[in-house]
Amino acid sequence: MEAFIINFELVLQYVVELCTILLELFGVIVLVYTAIKSFIQWIRHDSKIRLDLAQGIAVSLEFKMGSEVLRTVIVRDWSELGILGAVIFLRGLLTFLIHWEIKHEEEALKEHM
């Protein structure tokens, strides 16, 4: 029974690590797509560039936050958990600031229309 539990823990660790990498990859893909799209908007002098860029960054950060939360499943010691907590806190703060920026940018766009 003990061997089964050890093997099951290893399988769980591999699954979590794979899913963490996938979520990180999704975040990178969203961010790169948003950057390219925003650059094209910048060339066209589109007024919505700041809003679209902020929304893309926010979605990308959500994927990154998901990977960090998933990573908490396999943390083994307190120092690693402390570092992970700090990363989650900073990403959460960034997400909050970006959502605040989105709100103000949407209000500014409504005033111009």
Side-chain angles (χ1 to χ4, degrees), residues 77-97:
D77 51 37
W78 287 103
S79 63
E80 194 176 350
L81 186 62
I83 292 169
L84 195 57
V87 168
I88 290 173
F89 173 76
L90 290 173
R91 287 189 177 167
L93 183 63
L94 279 172
T95 302
F96 173 76
L97 290 172

Side-chain angles (χ1 to χ4, degrees), residues 61-79:
L61 269 172
E62 295 295 331
F63 279 112
K64 298 287 210 172
M65 287 279 288
S67 72
E68 296 299 336
V69 169
L70 192 57
R71 192 171 286 152
T72 61
V73 172
I74 58 173
V75 170
R76 293 290 177 207
D77 51 37
W78 287 103
S79 63

Side-chain angles (χ1 to χ4, degrees), residues 23-24 26-32 34 54-66 91 95:
L23 285 172
E24 293 273 344
F26 295 159
V28 169
I29 290 170
V30 167
L31 189 57
V32 169
T34 300
Q55 288 174 336
I57 291 171
V59 170
S60 176
L61 269 172
E62 295 295 331
F63 279 112
K64 298 287 210 172
M65 287 279 288
R91 287 189 177 167
T95 302

Side-chain angles (χ1 to χ4, degrees), residues 27-46:
V28 169
I29 290 170
V30 167
L31 189 57
V32 169
Y33 170 77
T34 300
I36 292 169
K37 181 178 148 190
S38 296
F39 182 73
I40 292 168
Q41 285 177 320
W42 177 75
I43 290 172
R44 295 179 181 166
H45 301 290
D46 190 350

